[in-house]
Amino acid sequence: MKNTIMKYCLIPFSIFVFLNISSIVPDPAYGQEKLKGPSSISKEEIPDWQARWELARVLSYVKRYDESVAEYNKLLKEKPALYEARAEMANVLFWQGKNAEALKTLEQIPAADITGNTSVLMADLYVIQKQYEKAETLYRGYLAKHPDKHKVRLKLAQTLSWDKKYDESLAEYRTILQAFPDDIQVRRKYAFVLIWSGKHLEAAAELKKTLR
Amino acid sequence: MKILTFIIMLLCVSVVTTIAYHTIQADLVHFRKAEKYFSRKEYSRAIPYYTSLLQKNFRRPTVLYRLGESYIASGNFKNALHVYEDISKREPTNSSAQDILASIYMNLGDFEKAVEIYKSMVSSEPLNRSTRIFFARALTAQGNLDEAIQQYKIVLGETQ
């Protein structure tokens, strides 16, 4: 009988005592590594290429373009696959008026990595070089993702008109005018494309609207 | 029967001891709970414990750091600022705390104060390149671009 009591009482008692002791006894780690202070917010080591990239950007902000491009070139020599930096350098070259160099720089980036504003810049550069088809593809790709960017749609409409694709150009103008019916400048450009496509009566009507 | 009485007594002693411990050493119990939540990255649950410990003058240096880190981790930079300003006053030579304080100022958009701290850190540790880069970033954010360029060039060894 005594043994049974011992068995049934001592086991839970031992567990209870153990759990209590473990919660009472201070953690030996206290006062050691836990007292070191901030740990999770320690400063990351910044590599040289990162600092150089930041320097190249800041130099471009103060319009020290030559120095900026020199830093981008050093950076890209070390990190040739840093396409974001390559696109930034193309922008700097564009601001310098070095359009051919800017385009050459962008052409070194794989097509899949040409996105967003970089694709618009590349398209703009193709337009300057009168490579309208290439520009059209890029503008259309951008507009597929950003259909509300009417400034880019206007660029596409103009490019199509210069490439003598009048009907496609007019369609783009109509989309823009639907969103901005009071934009006189866009309507005038639309009217000119109507004239070039031989739709003189329609053009006259549109031009009249701009004179009210 | 004697054994049973003995065991019941032991149980009673154990329960009483535990209750007494939780009452007398309540701060330590709270600290352990806070640490448990902190280690599990449950910062919002750890914060009330650390705050209550500080209000009760529970003096362990870890508490302030943990509270500050918890505020930062939960994106509450304003409260983190109060904590690190406090740490900074208590330990003015603690560069790690100064560093975090500067980054909090950056997060809060107070670039001038961040610049001030980084400038002092750079002058006391001129070879610490990470601090100099952060200084350059703060200068850039402040709009002092020429000075930022200078600092980046020092890091890259491009000064004349």
Side-chain angles (χ1 to χ4, degrees):
Chain A
M1 181 64 183
K2 278 181 183 176
N3 280 342
T4 317
I5 293 169
M6 289 286 279
K7 265 185 196 172
Y8 286 100
C9 292
L10 267 180
I11 293 167
F13 172 73
S14 308
I15 294 167
F16 182 79
V17 168
F18 172 77
L19 288 175
N20 274 291
I21 287 171
S22 67
S23 72
I24 288 169
V25 173
D27 184 344
Y30 287 174
Q32 293 168 27
E33 76 270 20
K34 287 190 177 182
L35 281 174
K36 276 181 183 171
S39 53
S40 60
I41 313 163
S42 57
K43 205 188 274 181
E44 79 265 32
E45 193 56 44
I46 303 159
D48 267 6
W49 65 265
Q50 177 75 47
R52 194 176 298 286
W53 192 358
E54 292 175 18
L55 171 61
R57 280 177 179 159
V58 181
L59 285 165
S60 77
Y61 301 157
V62 290
K63 299 185 179 178
R64 287 161 66 174
Y65 297 135
D66 285 335
E67 288 174 73
S68 173
V69 169
E71 293 300 336
Y72 275 119
N73 275 323
K74 283 183 201 168
L75 169 66
L76 291 169
K77 201 173 174 184
E78 190 183 340
K79 293 260 167 192
L82 205 57
Y83 301 126
E84 200 184 333
R86 202 173 283 279
E88 285 176 17
M89 186 172 92
N91 260 301
V92 178
L93 289 165
F94 175 65
W95 295 332
Q96 275 187 297
K98 296 179 177 174
N99 298 329
E101 269 186 69
L103 185 57
K104 200 176 156 191
T105 305
L106 287 177
E107 282 174 339
Q108 288 167 3
I109 301 174
D113 290 294
I114 302 274
T115 55
N117 291 335
T118 307
S119 66
V120 175
L121 172 66
M122 197 173 186
D124 292 348
L125 291 165
Y126 277 131
V127 169
I128 292 167
Q129 303 238 329
K130 298 190 177 172
Q131 298 188 47
Y132 299 129
E133 294 248 336
K134 285 182 179 175
E136 181 192 335
T137 307
L138 287 166
Y139 285 138
R140 285 198 191 279
Y142 179 85
L143 285 166
K145 286 180 185 165
H146 312 276
D148 295 332
K149 296 283 181 181
H150 291 291
K151 279 188 180 175
V152 177
R153 192 173 296 282
L154 180 60
K155 287 179 179 190
L156 171 63
Q158 287 177 306
T159 305
L160 288 165
S161 71
W162 296 327
D163 204 18
K164 296 186 171 56
K165 294 178 177 175
Y166 299 126
D167 287 339
E168 288 173 63
S169 171
L170 291 169
E172 297 302 334
Y173 273 115
R174 281 183 203 115
T175 306
I176 300 165
L177 286 169
Q178 209 165 4
F180 303 96
D182 299 326
D183 193 319
I184 292 170
Q185 295 307 320
V186 172
R187 197 169 291 280
R188 281 183 183 155
K189 284 175 183 165
Y190 173 55
F192 279 112
V193 180
L194 284 168
I195 293 168
W196 298 336
S197 64
K199 295 171 181 167
H200 296 103
L201 282 176
E202 272 183 66
E206 292 300 326
L207 283 171
K208 268 186 189 172
K209 283 182 197 170
T210 67
L211 296 173
R212 277 177 199 165
Chain B
M1 190 62 191
K2 275 182 185 175
I3 290 170
L4 187 62
T5 313
F6 178 70
I7 288 168
I8 289 167
M9 269 182 67
L10 272 180
L11 273 169
C12 289
V13 167
S14 176
V15 168
V16 167
T17 312
T18 309
I19 292 167
Y21 181 81
H22 277 73
T23 310
I24 297 162
Q25 295 282 13
D27 289 350
L28 206 55
V29 172
H30 277 189
F31 182 60
R32 285 182 61 87
K33 280 186 181 170
E35 289 287 271
K36 185 180 79 182
Y37 288 129
F38 184 88
S39 64
R40 287 183 190 168
K41 298 187 176 177
E42 293 177 34
Y43 302 112
S44 56
R45 297 181 80 173
I47 287 169
Y49 283 106
Y50 288 130
T51 312
S52 124
L53 286 166
L54 287 172
Q55 282 165 352
K56 289 175 191 165
N57 278 329
F58 182 81
R59 291 288 161 217
R60 265 179 198 262
T62 323
V63 176
L64 261 181
Y65 282 112
R66 292 284 201 258
L67 180 61
E69 284 193 53
S70 300
Y71 277 134
I72 290 173
S74 50
N76 192 338
F77 292 105
K78 279 192 180 172
N79 282 346
L81 178 65
H82 297 311
V83 174
Y84 278 97
E85 278 178 340
D86 191 4
I87 294 172
S88 193
K89 273 180 203 161
R90 288 163 196 251
E91 305 166 36
T93 54
N94 184 333
S95 62
S96 175
Q98 290 291 317
D99 200 3
I100 294 169
L101 184 59
S103 71
I104 292 170
Y105 279 127
M106 284 290 283
N107 270 293
L108 290 172
D110 193 340
F111 306 125
E112 287 197 13
K113 284 199 174 154
V115 164
E116 203 178 295
I117 294 171
Y118 285 132
K119 193 174 193 172
S120 136
M121 289 175 74
V122 162
S123 66
S124 59
E125 288 178 73
L127 296 177
N128 187 329
R129 54 186 303 289
S130 284
T131 301
R132 199 175 286 279
I133 292 171
F134 277 91
F135 181 37
R137 285 178 181 175
L139 287 162
T140 305
Q142 193 196 22
N144 193 347
L145 303 181
D146 289 326
E147 178 62 23
I149 289 167
Q150 187 65 20
Q151 295 304 322
Y152 279 121
K153 287 195 169 184
I154 292 171
V155 170
L156 295 166
E158 291 186 2
T159 45
Q160 288 159 351

